[in-house]
């Protein structure tokens, strides 16, 4: 089975709201669903990797993807969780990182996301989110609802 690696950003504001974006209707996986900003990790030639590169490379790619998809510059912090499993025909390893907005202005590119904003994560994502990136965040919030305060 094909392996893929992906990363997502958990970007909290001072009120504990999280940057959540609505996936475009043209997305193959989970169209029109609310999700964290994320990206697949690729090699230098732009191909999906099947063996994990450095965490630093994954962070750089995630920051670049968020700039492209949402118009925001971010700084990524520590890892908050990792999840592996089968997802729509391939084996996925997803890593969520804490992040903060450092610049830019929110402007979803409509190709990847149609809307974005800061929302109460459990209300917007629900108890059973679809993608691994959102599941990691929801599970972490259920363990410790204020973990993000310690990570800022």
């Amino acid at each position: 089975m094909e392996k893929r690696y992906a990363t997502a950003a958990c970007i909290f504001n001072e009120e504990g709201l999280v940057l959540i974006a609505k996936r475009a209707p043209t997305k193959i996986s989970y169209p029109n669903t609310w999700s964290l900003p994320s990206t697949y990790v690729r090699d230098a030639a732009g191909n999906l990797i099947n063996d994990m590169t450095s965490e630093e490379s994954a962070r750089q790619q995630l920051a670049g993807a968020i700039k492209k998809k949402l118009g925001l510059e971010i700084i990524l912090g520590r890892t908050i969780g990792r999840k592996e499993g089968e997802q729509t025909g391939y084996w996925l390893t997803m890593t969520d990182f804490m992040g903060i907005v450092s610049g830019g202005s929110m402007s979803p590119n409509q190709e990847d996301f149609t809307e974005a904003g800061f929302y109460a994560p459990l209300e917007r994502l629900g108890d059973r989110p679809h993608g691994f990136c959102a599941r990691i965040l929801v599970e972490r919030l259920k363990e410790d609802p204020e973990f993000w305060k310690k990570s800022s």
Side-chain angles (χ1 to χ4, degrees), residues 2 43 48 50 55 69 79 87 127 129:
E2 178 186 9
D43 64 17
L48 294 171
N50 56 19
E55 195 170 278
K69 296 175 181 184
T79 301
Q87 185 164 328
D127 281 341

Side-chain angles (χ1 to χ4, degrees), residues 1 12 42 44 60 88 92 96 104 112 114 129 138-139 145 147 151:
M1 178 175 281
F12 284 84
R42 299 178 181 275
Q60 289 172 355
T88 58
L92 178 66
D96 282 8
D112 296 291
T114 57
V138 167
E139 289 169 8
F147 82 91
S151 301

Side-chain angles (χ1 to χ4, degrees), residues 7 39 54-66 76 97:
T7 59
T39 194
S54 74
E55 195 170 278
E56 186 56 33
S57 174
R59 288 171 191 268
Q60 289 172 355
Q61 289 183 44
L62 179 57
I66 292 172
L76 293 164
F97 296 103

